[in-house]
Amino acid sequence: MNSSQSSFTDLNDWALVYQNLQTIEQEYLSLKLKLHFKTIPNFDDFIKLYESSKIGCNEAWNHNEEIFLQLIVLSLNPRCIKNRFDWEKVQKLMPKYRSLSELCFKFQSFYKAQLPRQPWSSFEDKALLQIILDNTSRCKKKWSSIANQYNLLCKSEIPRNAKQCRERWNNKLDPQINREPWSRSEEFHFLQLLLQNGRRWADISLKLSMITKYKRRTEFALKHKFKQLQKYYGHKAKRLNKTDFEISSSLEHIGS
């Protein structure tokens, strides 16, 4: 147990935490959250739940630990009101150490509806870019670690998870993104790669970068170009020559 973690040595303090649980409205909360408990456990079971939550490796969450997290968060914020989560206090009450972002992400996974996506600010972009550029092993990015570093640095209201950080880098921040206009040669190679690989955008992006000095097109850019070509050859159907007709038929087949 981390030195900052609490224990059940002072039952009076835990009795206060447990007392707060009696105020929660499960019917109301079940509309918002996937609750892992049907009823509030009695105090003895609450203590046993704490002890059983310690079992297992540190990385994997066990079911009892998830239940305990829900109980602790709701004891501190009974109506689950946005901006009233005290993750530092939650961290101290958990049976084993979890980072603040781990606790937040795990609790977000209990929501029945997705939390609204927030646009990235220029400050957030600069922070994420700096973390990645300072990473000595940029070829082998561990996005969960990068997300943790980012959240500790930015301390934003809604943390970013590993997937959001990865997508922001791949689609916006990577200096190797090719933002130049498409050349006829690049379009031709793109068509060839589409016929060879289908809509496997990651493979196409890598292979296409070999003819553009390793500047890569994002997945979004490839999809957009694909739709442009479909539209172009579709509207020109009456004036297509034999080669154009073959391209149009191939694009129609790939798009189906």
Side-chain angles (χ1 to χ4, degrees):
M1 185 187 301
N2 186 283
S3 59
S4 67
Q5 301 310 106
S6 58
S7 68
F8 274 107
T9 54
D10 191 337
L11 293 183
N12 289 329
D13 289 345
W14 280 103
L16 290 174
V17 172
Y18 182 76
Q19 186 178 352
N20 289 340
L21 286 173
Q22 311 312 308
T23 66
I24 72 172
E25 301 174 25
Q26 281 184 255
E27 187 176 350
Y28 165 77
L29 290 170
S30 64
L31 297 174
K32 300 171 67 174
L33 301 170
K34 294 174 282 187
L35 296 176
H36 288 5
F37 56 90
K38 293 182 179 179
T39 59
I40 302 296
N42 62 45
F43 188 61
D44 287 341
D45 289 338
F46 184 63
I47 296 173
K48 291 176 184 176
L49 190 64
Y50 175 93
E51 296 299 334
S52 63
S53 298
K54 299 177 185 178
I55 300 171
C57 66
N58 287 331
E59 288 191 12
W61 287 76
N62 64 53
H63 185 62
N64 286 342
E65 189 184 7
E66 291 182 347
I67 295 175
F68 197 79
L69 173 62
Q70 289 188 346
L71 293 172
I72 291 299
V73 172
L74 295 176
S75 73
L76 300 174
N77 188 358
R79 292 188 64 81
C80 207
I81 299 173
K82 183 181 176 183
N83 301 336
R84 291 193 186 175
F85 295 105
D86 188 344
W87 296 112
E88 290 184 357
K89 193 165 185 179
V90 171
Q91 185 183 55
K92 291 177 181 178
L93 293 171
M94 289 299 288
K96 55 187 177 184
Y97 177 78
R98 297 287 184 184
S99 70
L100 299 179
S101 55
E102 277 184 292
L103 295 170
C104 183
F105 293 151
K106 175 54 72 173
F107 194 78
Q108 283 186 8
S109 73
F110 301 142
Y111 279 88
K112 288 184 176 179
Q114 280 192 335
L115 292 175
R117 294 188 68 142
Q118 299 292 320
W120 288 71
S121 67
S122 58
F123 170 76
E124 290 178 300
D125 278 345
K126 288 176 183 176
L128 180 60
L129 181 62
Q130 194 59 51
I131 288 168
I132 295 174
L133 294 180
D134 287 346
N135 185 359
T136 54
S137 56
R138 267 191 278 164
C139 294
K140 296 181 180 179
K141 302 179 189 72
K142 189 173 181 181
W143 291 107
S144 59
S145 175
I146 289 171
N148 282 336
Q149 291 179 59
Y150 165 85
N151 290 315
L152 287 172
L153 177 63
C154 289
K155 297 180 180 178
S156 55
E157 182 181 313
I158 296 181
R160 305 292 184 179
N161 59 31
K163 181 183 177 183
Q164 288 174 308
C165 291
R166 182 183 72 245
E167 289 181 348
R168 190 63 176 174
W169 169 260
N170 287 335
N171 295 321
K172 183 71 176 178
L173 300 179
D174 186 356
Q176 293 302 312
I177 291 174
N178 187 352
R179 296 183 171 86
E180 296 296 321
W182 286 71
S183 66
R184 293 298 297 273
S185 172
E186 190 182 7
E187 281 189 357
F188 175 74
H189 281 91
F190 175 55
L191 285 169
Q192 284 187 318
L193 291 169
L194 268 173
L195 295 174
Q196 293 167 8
N197 299 276
R199 287 181 288 179
R200 291 162 60 185
W201 306 117
D203 290 344
I204 291 175
S205 177
L206 178 63
K207 292 175 181 177
L208 194 62
S209 70
M210 295 178 184
I211 65 162
T212 55
K213 298 180 180 178
Y214 293 96
K215 288 282 188 178
R216 64 175 188 84
R217 297 289 182 182
T218 66
E219 184 175 319
F220 175 81
L222 295 175
K223 289 178 180 178
H224 183 65
K225 174 55 68 173
F226 174 60
K227 288 179 181 178
Q228 276 187 331
L229 292 173
Q230 276 188 312
K231 185 177 180 180
Y232 172 80
Y233 284 108
H235 286 176
K236 302 292 183 181
K238 293 182 179 179
R239 292 182 286 142
L240 294 180
N241 58 36
K242 184 178 178 181
T243 302
D244 287 339
F245 179 77
E246 289 173 351
I247 292 173
S248 178
S249 300
S250 298
L251 287 172
E252 186 177 345
H253 175 71
I254 294 170
S256 62

